[in-house]
Amino acid sequence: MRFSKAFIPTTKEAPSDAVLASHIYLTRAGFVAQVASGLYNYLPLGKRVLKKIEAIINDEMERADAQEVELSFVTPAELWQESGRIEKFGKELLRLRDRKENLFVLGPTHEEMMVNLVRNRVTSYKQLPLNLYQIKTKFRDEARPRFGLMRAREFVMKDGYSFHATAEDLDREFDAMEAAYKRILERLGLDFRIVEADSGAIGGSGSKELMVIADSGEDTIAVCDSCEYGANIEAAHRRVISSAPSEPSLANEKVHTPDVRTINDLADFFKIDPHYTLKAVAKRAIYEESDEIVIFYLRGSDELQEVKAVNAVAALELVDVTEEELEAVGLVPGFIGPFGQNDITSVFDSGLKGATAMITGANERDYHMSGADLSALDGVTFADLYEVKEGDGCPHCDGSLTYTKGIEVGHIFKLGTTYSKALKAEFLNDQGRAEPFEMGTYGMGVSRLVAAVIEQHHDEKGCRWTKATAPYQVNIMVSNIKDEAQLELGETLYSRLKESGVEVIIDDRKERFGFKMKDAELIGLPYTIIIGKELKNGKIQIFDRATLEKSDVQVEEAFETVMGLLK
RNA sequence: CGGGGUGUAGCUCAGUAUGGUUAGAGUACCUGGUUUGGGACCAGGGGGCCGAAGGUUCGAGUCCUUUCACCCCGACCA
């Protein structure tokens, strides 16, 4: 390609609303252009990057025996009613009616569609396993799109679904997909981590997210400093505390504690570690048809992880409650405790099993219980409720956990029979009995990856594409096109590189040196061959975008040197 | 969905408190010339329904009402 013919509208200024590096540079360098909130046009350079990433995904999927399909973007609403997700997704589904008034939904993900495709076509265990995927535009009417391509409403996603006769076979495929996803991200040149995750409202198990490490990431992940363990904070675990603070010896009695309401006050009052206080977090759990107040009990030294809490009571969501609402059901804010109080649904953090010497609320204004033994409680529900903290022990080794930020670029998990049951997708097993498919789902955000690459590979001058993602590998910059010798050499190198299969672009615009250099840096192709004033000394320069270094090369060696760099 | 902000040239923004020539700057664009190693210079030029609708007024970019869009914080996000 020639810059003189290319549609690469670069700008000096970024749109005023762009915050993220990827948003700023992808826009300034002419890769994408915003159309409306959360909607983007891909310009030629952006489209090339997208295709690069897609090609790598296709290649790895081929290797893993997954087959590509393409399902229609407009999907019948009946399918969503069948699975029950038309309500769960809610307003995120963009609904529309055709001329006959039939209701349709723009596909935000395609579980239903894929199950629908396979059901009644795959009818025997002999036809399994099957792994089908597509790379397709999705639409989710996000309440608040932001961060450019990172959280767009319309985006490109690779979504794959596998079908199995047994859970064991699903496990095998799941591992194979994890390995394939890992290779994809390695080939893209990204620093990432595969972490344990919550599977969300969709249900399922074995949930893992692929996180590209970046400060701008929207997810907090806890990673071990010495082993491979990593988990989204929504699902992270920690080693059971082995070195608990020494247990205080306080009599089991009701103690007058005027105005001692917070955990800190309580710990000070009794001169104990917050570890031995019982924290009660009250929330209103919202269910499809009803709602109720739930109390979550944790050690005072822990914080409630809300996603875990939602899962523990299988609620749609948790909302805060006011002191008035608590009083209305007979609770005493600041002094809530589990003893003598069985009317309210309560869940205890699993770390409280058999806890002794605890200080708890006495359900009476200005009173606490000291030296309480929680094992005295009957019929207690335990669940993981705590949020891991930095410094907590790794659950798998002696290391400790630290927080880092990640961009979720992939999410894989085992659906089991959730959808096959809901949509009655069954096959006959070797006993001739009908069974629902065991399913896995494997998503990867292709357009989000474009942004993720730049989040991880940029500097103050612009993009720094990895070799695997760069729209072109080499830029030939002819400093002054009026200088015939320069132009001629540029054209010669351009032809030779093209003939050798190198993705090359020549900057043959009638612009000054500085202007073209700024563009080269902003666009961020890996190498720029500078043909300029050094030509009269028989030299050109090769500018390495990653290091910003320019190295002199003899004209005769230029071609070979570049070919060597690209290997 | 709650709270806040902004809509004026392709882009980034002045101008709006206090209504009054022909609505401005920078940048980008076109023409000519000079220049050619870090977004150059000189001269000339094109480009605007001041987000939209309604209203007040002799007169509205500016005041009032309604509305739409975009952005930020939060809630939400298989």
Side-chain angles (χ1 to χ4, degrees):
Chain A
M1 182 40 75
R2 296 172 178 281
F3 264 91
S4 60
K5 293 182 178 171
F7 179 48
I8 307 175
T10 59
T11 56
K12 232 189 269 192
E13 277 169 302
S16 53
D17 45 55
V19 223
L20 248 50
S22 60
H23 191 189
I24 292 169
Y25 293 135
L26 288 172
T27 306
R28 280 191 53 206
F31 285 76
V32 299
Q34 184 173 4
V35 181
S37 181
L39 306 181
Y40 289 83
N41 286 334
Y42 287 82
L43 280 42
L45 289 181
K47 180 64 182 170
R48 285 184 75 97
V49 175
L50 215 45
K51 281 161 90 174
K52 284 283 178 98
I53 297 173
E54 289 174 8
I56 290 172
I57 293 172
N58 282 326
D59 190 49
E60 290 297 337
M61 286 300 112
E62 174 75 27
R63 194 205 286 222
D65 287 335
Q67 301 168 73
E68 188 177 16
V69 294
E70 178 151 348
L71 308 185
S72 92
F73 182 35
V74 178
T75 66
E78 290 92 86
L79 278 177
W80 296 86
Q81 276 147 5
E82 237 184 296
S83 71
R85 281 212 294 182
I86 196 147
E87 276 86 25
K88 269 188 192 148
F89 254 105
K91 286 188 183 162
E92 257 183 60
L93 291 178
L94 186 63
R95 294 148 212 235
L96 49 111
R97 289 183 186 277
D98 66 8
R99 52 169 43 177
K100 289 179 285 190
E101 292 294 310
N102 293 317
L103 189 60
F104 291 90
V105 164
L106 287 188
T109 171
H110 282 205
E111 280 83 2
E112 285 85 351
M113 287 286 282
M114 200 64 92
V115 171
N116 181 51
L117 176 69
V118 167
R119 69 174 164 185
N120 301 326
R121 289 193 175 86
V122 174
T123 50
S124 162
Y125 73 96
K126 293 174 193 165
Q127 294 166 291
L128 296 172
L130 185 65
N131 189 330
L132 300 175
Y133 77 98
Q134 61 173 347
I135 294 176
K136 180 93 180 168
T137 297
K138 307 283 177 195
F139 193 94
R140 291 181 195 173
D141 201 356
E142 292 263 6
R144 192 176 157 214
R146 55 184 123 173
F147 302 142
L149 294 187
M150 210 65 95
R151 275 273 289 276
R153 289 192 294 175
E154 190 179 299
F155 58 99
V156 179
M157 179 164 93
K158 176 268 170 182
D159 52 325
Y161 310 88
S162 67
F163 299 84
H164 309 270
T166 64
E168 293 69 41
D169 195 50
L170 168 59
D171 290 345
R172 176 202 52 75
E173 185 73 5
F174 186 83
D175 292 344
M177 281 295 117
E178 180 177 337
Y181 271 36
K182 196 173 167 191
R183 275 198 301 272
I184 291 167
L185 295 186
E186 278 166 359
R187 283 177 65 176
L188 290 173
L190 291 168
D191 175 20
F192 66 97
R193 196 99 181 196
I194 300 178
V195 305
E196 293 176 12
D198 176 60
S199 34
I202 194 169
S205 62
S207 180
K208 288 190 178 177
E209 288 170 336
L210 287 95
M211 293 285 187
V212 168
I213 305 301
D215 290 340
S216 56
E218 291 188 79
D219 289 277
T220 299
I221 56 184
V223 297
C224 177
D225 57 13
S226 77
C227 79
E228 287 292 296
Y229 179 77
N232 192 307
I233 192 146
E234 295 172 357
H237 297 284
R238 65 183 176 207
R239 195 186 324 136
V240 176
I241 300 170
S242 50
S243 56
S246 59
E247 193 168 303
S249 51
L250 289 171
N252 184 207
E253 59 186 6
K254 195 161 96 180
V255 182
H256 185 55
T257 52
D259 273 332
V260 178
R261 289 165 160 261
T262 69
I263 292 297
N264 280 341
D265 291 347
L266 201 56
D268 287 349
F269 185 92
F270 285 97
K271 308 216 168 4
I272 53 158
D273 190 283
H275 182 79
Y276 291 103
T277 63
L278 189 68
K279 177 188 284 186
V281 183
K283 295 275 178 183
R284 182 176 298 281
I286 311 290
Y287 301 97
E288 215 146 312
E289 310 266 296
S290 60
D291 67 82
E292 65 168 336
I293 287 178
V294 179
I295 302 171
F296 297 98
Y297 289 108
L298 299 133
R299 286 193 185 270
S301 47
D302 283 325
E303 297 293 329
L304 182 71
Q305 212 314 310
E306 248 190 67
V307 173
K308 289 182 177 181
V310 168
N311 292 340
V313 294
L316 293 176
E317 62 170 326
L318 296 177
V319 297
D320 290 342
V321 287
T322 62
E323 298 210 344
E324 290 71 33
E325 288 174 287
L326 291 176
E327 281 158 10
V329 295
L331 291 168
V332 190
F335 302 93
I336 298 173
F339 293 98
Q341 191 278 109
N342 303 316
D343 305 338
I344 311 290
T345 303
S346 300
V347 182
F348 288 72
D349 181 56
S350 46
L352 288 166
K353 269 181 199 161
T356 52
M358 300 296 290
I359 309 290
T360 82
N363 295 308
E364 194 177 321
R365 175 168 268 286
D366 295 339
Y367 283 95
H368 278 85
M369 302 292 298
S370 68
D373 180 352
L374 296 192
S375 58
L377 292 162
D378 289 332
V380 170
T381 309
F382 287 102
D384 261 351
L385 298 175
Y386 66 89
E387 181 159 289
V388 299
K389 298 186 290 282
E390 287 199 277
D392 281 351
C394 171
H396 294 309
C397 75
D398 291 337
S400 60
L401 302 174
T402 52
Y403 284 178
T404 179
K405 290 284 183 182
I407 300 166
E408 181 192 342
V409 296
H411 194 175
I412 59 177
F413 56 102
K414 299 171 190 171
L415 289 171
T417 55
T418 316
Y419 287 88
S420 46
K421 271 185 186 154
L423 297 168
K424 298 194 180 53
E426 301 177 327
F427 64 96
L428 292 184
N429 66 15
D430 57 2
Q431 315 287 316
R433 272 211 342 268
E435 280 189 57
F437 296 109
E438 288 286 337
M439 290 180 61
T441 180
Y442 319 97
M444 185 167 260
V446 182
S447 46
R448 181 177 279 183
L449 274 168
V450 175
V453 170
I454 295 307
E455 284 306 316
Q456 220 169 59
H457 300 276
H458 70 270
D459 59 19
E460 65 291 341
K461 292 171 185 292
C463 305
R464 290 200 314 208
W465 295 100
T466 61
K467 282 184 197 172
T469 54
Y472 295 94
Q473 301 299 311
V474 178
N475 171 29
I476 299 173
M477 204 263 279
V478 179
S479 178
N480 180 4
I481 59 162
K482 284 186 181 166
D483 182 321
E484 281 179 30
Q486 287 184 20
L487 189 58
E488 197 187 314
L489 177 61
E491 292 288 351
T492 306
L493 279 173
Y494 178 59
S495 307
R496 286 190 70 189
L497 287 169
K498 259 206 325 196
E499 279 162 22
S500 307
V502 173
E503 295 168 306
V504 57
I505 185 165
I506 181 168
D507 196 343
D508 55 350
R509 291 174 299 176
K510 184 180 172 295
E511 295 287 353
R512 296 164 63 91
F513 178 85
F515 184 92
K516 293 192 205 181
M517 275 307 288
K518 291 283 186 202
D519 260 5
E521 284 159 350
L522 180 60
I523 294 167
L525 303 179
Y527 300 106
T528 294
I529 302 174
I530 300 171
I531 302 174
K533 64 178 187 185
E534 284 298 310
L535 183 58
K536 56 181 181 293
N537 302 322
K539 287 181 196 159
I540 53 110
Q541 285 172 307
I542 295 176
F543 172 69
D544 182 331
R545 180 61 185 89
T547 63
L548 295 178
E549 279 166 15
K550 293 174 194 158
S551 44
D552 287 349
V553 175
Q554 293 296 325
V555 169
E556 310 80 57
E557 293 162 12
F559 177 77
E560 294 303 332
T561 307
V562 170
M563 293 305 285
L565 286 171
L566 295 177
K567 278 200 186 113

